[in-house]
């Protein structure tokens, strides 16, 4: 069965990051999970964040397509990479660094988490 990613059929879930991850701001983030596999290790949806900056550490593989906004993703020891509306990129498992939302950002995401725990019934996080 084909599953269309229809924003009008999914309720967004608002949340804030744990204080220990935050570097600046306290951005409200919203995730709309459109699909999660039966095994719980593959998901797709839309994520939005207000401006702020935080630590990231990926155990998942994530494809992102920026729908709006401007963010700067920096790998520890690497150079900052600016991503903006219309651009696509992949963050590989093992990536550690920071994510800074400069302008409110919305992205479409597809996540593969090889070590997801299907017993908890939760999809892999949209952003580590």
């Amino acid at each position: 069965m084909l599953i269309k990613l229809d924003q009008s059929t999914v309720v967004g879930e608002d949340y804030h990051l744990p204080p220990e991850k935050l570097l600046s701001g306290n951005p409200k983030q919203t995730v709309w999970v459109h699909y999660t596999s039966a095994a719980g290790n593959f998901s797709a949806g839309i994520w939005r964040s207000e401006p702020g900056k935080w630590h990231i550490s990926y155990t998942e593989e994530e494809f992102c397509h920026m729908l709006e906004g401007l963010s700067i993703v920096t790998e520890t020891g690497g150079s900052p990479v600016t991503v903006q509306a219309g651009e696509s990129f992949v963050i590989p498992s093992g990536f550690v660094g920071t994510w800074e939302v400069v302008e409110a950002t919305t992205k479409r995401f597809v996540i593969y988490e090889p070590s997801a725990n299907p017993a908890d019934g939760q999809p892999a996080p949209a952003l580590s």
Side-chain angles (χ1 to χ4, degrees):
M1 169 174 64
L2 179 89
I3 300 168
K4 291 181 82 174
L5 304 182
D6 182 354
Q7 189 71 358
S8 68
T9 63
V10 178
V11 176
E13 179 182 328
D14 295 334
Y15 64 97
H16 287 84
L17 294 166
E20 62 271 13
K21 284 192 167 194
L22 292 173
L23 294 170
S24 66
N26 186 21
K28 179 178 88 169
Q29 298 184 344
T30 307
V31 64
W32 294 266
V33 179
H34 292 96
Y35 174 79
T36 301
S37 67
N41 64 344
F42 182 81
S43 60
I46 293 179
W47 172 87
R48 176 177 292 153
S49 180
E50 296 173 340
K53 185 175 182 179
W54 57 91
H55 294 285
I56 55 175
S57 179
Y58 275 69
T59 58
E60 68 273 21
E61 309 278 349
E62 182 177 13
F63 166 82
C64 304
H65 178 76
M66 298 284 285
L67 299 173
E68 63 183 18
L70 179 82
S71 287
I72 301 170
V73 181
T74 307
E75 187 169 14
T76 301
S79 299
V81 177
T82 300
V83 292
Q84 58 191 338
E87 295 182 329
S88 299
F89 57 97
V90 171
I91 299 179
S93 176
F95 185 98
V96 175
T98 60
W99 186 297
E100 179 180 9
V101 171
V102 179
E103 297 173 6
T105 292
T106 303
K107 69 176 182 177
R108 183 170 304 281
F109 67 86
V110 177
I111 292 175
Y112 174 67
E113 173 69 75
S115 62
N117 180 1
D120 68 10
Q122 297 297 313
L127 187 67
S128 292

